[in-house]
Amino acid sequence: MKQVIDTIELLSSAHITGEAVAQHLRAAGNCQVDVTRLERDGAATEFLSIIIPGADDAAPQLGIIGRLGGIGARPAVTGLVSDSDGAVVAIAAALKLMAMARQGDVLPGTVRIRTHICPRAGTRPHHPVPMMKSPFPMREMMSHEVDPRMDAILSVDTTRGNRLVNQRGVALTPVAKQGYLLRIPETMLDVMGWVSGELPLTLPLTTQDITPYENGLSHVNSLMQPTIATDAPVVGVALTAQTAVPGCATGVTNAVDADVAMRFCIEIAKLFGQGAMTFVDAAEWSTLQSRYGSLARLQTTGVDPKAAQ
């Protein structure tokens, strides 16, 4: 909770920059942080790449992606927006992992964390409530947020702007891998129940939710967009609400829910790095491939009938 609150305070500034966050992280412990600024046509954001080294270089490496359009929508609204949760959880997880390492608890596997800092993002219409707008095309965002060395990914995002999960908390999606939607591992459901102290919530997905934004189809939000840029399995960690909340609403960020999401990510990092759990059942994956073939075309924009004509 301390790391979550510290991160919320850090990001609740009109003057925050990616480099300021990077300096805060470097001062907190053993990590490698790189900042990449992208600026074009009046839009700008700063991508953070955070590497927390594990004890075993050969161990599986978990990726944690803090997914969001922006942490603020200035000057239209003042303060930290609901959409900031992905960045809050990702940065807080890095701070907590380093605090653990300082106390002698180094995880087996390296954890790779990606997010971006954009205090002046735009908004876009969306039903049932408006959402934050990505500063750049989603495929370009994913080229900075997805690390090819991530063996599996937890994508964390505010997912309050819907009527699919009418409960406050943290919900898990099915596993997305190369166009397939696969079952949630039982261990993952166990861990969510343990860290939340409640029955695990799940977020239903449709096929179009795991396709690229640029195809123009409806998506619940950008939670599952990392799956378009990797062959690794992706699970969405969605922060939800009982009511539909705009992504650009302020005063929404809830430290308790962010803490649950962060602790879930860290517990999965422990188990994944030590080889105690996998995201995908290898035998079932092999059977799906042999019976039904590849669905990797769903990671692309597909065939545009108008263009074909």
Side-chain angles (χ1 to χ4, degrees):
M1 183 64 78
K2 176 185 185 302
Q3 285 78 20
V4 169
I5 293 172
D6 286 349
T7 303
I8 291 171
E9 289 300 306
L10 177 67
L11 299 185
S12 297
S13 167
H15 308 295
I16 192 64
T17 64
E19 188 54 44
V21 176
Q23 290 176 9
H24 186 81
L25 288 161
R26 292 177 188 127
N30 181 23
C31 67
Q32 177 186 327
V33 186
D34 295 310
V35 181
T36 303
R37 181 173 177 82
L38 192 60
E39 187 171 6
R40 188 173 66 245
D41 300 329
T45 192
E46 291 173 307
F47 294 95
L48 290 176
S49 170
I50 310 161
I51 301 174
I52 311 294
D56 182 0
D57 290 340
Q61 300 189 23
L62 181 71
I64 300 173
I65 295 177
R67 188 80 281 291
L68 68 158
I71 62 172
R74 300 172 181 88
V77 298
T78 303
L80 199 68
V81 296
S82 171
D83 205 44
S84 68
D85 281 352
V88 168
V89 172
I91 294 166
L95 291 170
K96 181 60 180 175
L97 286 168
M98 286 188 285
M100 291 168 57
R102 289 197 306 272
Q103 300 295 328
D105 283 333
V106 178
L107 267 59
T110 293
V111 179
R112 296 179 178 272
I113 300 172
R114 296 280 183 99
T115 191
H116 71 102
I117 304 299
C118 183
R120 292 171 181 80
T123 62
R124 65 182 177 88
H126 183 270
H127 183 77
V129 289
M131 299 179 86
M132 296 290 289
K133 184 167 65 175
S134 177
F136 298 99
M138 195 59 67
R139 182 77 63 171
E140 188 173 7
M141 297 292 290
M142 291 305 102
S143 70
H144 293 278
E145 294 181 23
V146 175
D147 186 330
R149 290 162 292 187
M150 294 173 174
D151 295 310
I153 294 172
L154 295 176
S155 176
V156 187
D157 197 355
T158 306
T159 311
R160 300 188 180 101
N162 65 83
R163 296 191 174 102
L164 301 175
V165 180
N166 302 317
Q167 185 174 327
R168 199 196 102 193
V170 183
L172 299 177
T173 71
V175 178
K177 179 176 169 66
Q178 298 175 39
Y180 277 94
L181 285 173
L182 309 171
R183 66 191 183 108
I184 305 172
E186 292 292 329
T187 303
M188 230 174 241
L189 295 171
D190 288 339
V191 170
M192 182 54 77
W194 298 338
V195 300
S196 68
E198 299 175 342
L199 293 172
L201 283 176
T202 58
L203 172 69
L205 295 179
T206 62
T207 300
Q208 61 247 44
D209 290 324
I210 61 171
T211 62
Y213 256 32
E214 60 260 37
N215 64 15
L217 297 173
S218 175
H219 294 73
V220 63
N221 65 357
S222 67
L223 174 70
M224 301 308 293
Q225 286 301 287
T227 195
I228 72 171
T230 180
D231 288 340
V234 178
V235 169
V237 181
L239 286 92
T240 63
Q242 190 173 23
T243 58
V245 180
C248 54
T250 56
V252 176
T253 300
N254 190 301
V256 174
D257 294 345
D259 177 60
V260 169
M262 182 205 71
R263 287 187 285 116
F264 171 80
C265 291
I266 289 175
E267 293 306 307
I268 295 302
K270 292 178 187 177
L271 295 170
F272 185 72
Q274 67 192 29
M277 70 155 292
T278 60
F279 281 45
V280 175
D281 182 289
E284 287 194 352
W285 176 250
S286 177
T287 300
L288 281 168
Q289 294 289 294
S290 63
R291 285 178 176 265
Y292 302 105
S294 172
L295 295 183
R297 63 187 180 278
L298 292 171
Q299 296 173 283
T300 72
T301 54
V303 176
D304 184 345
K306 295 178 181 178
Q309 292 174 0

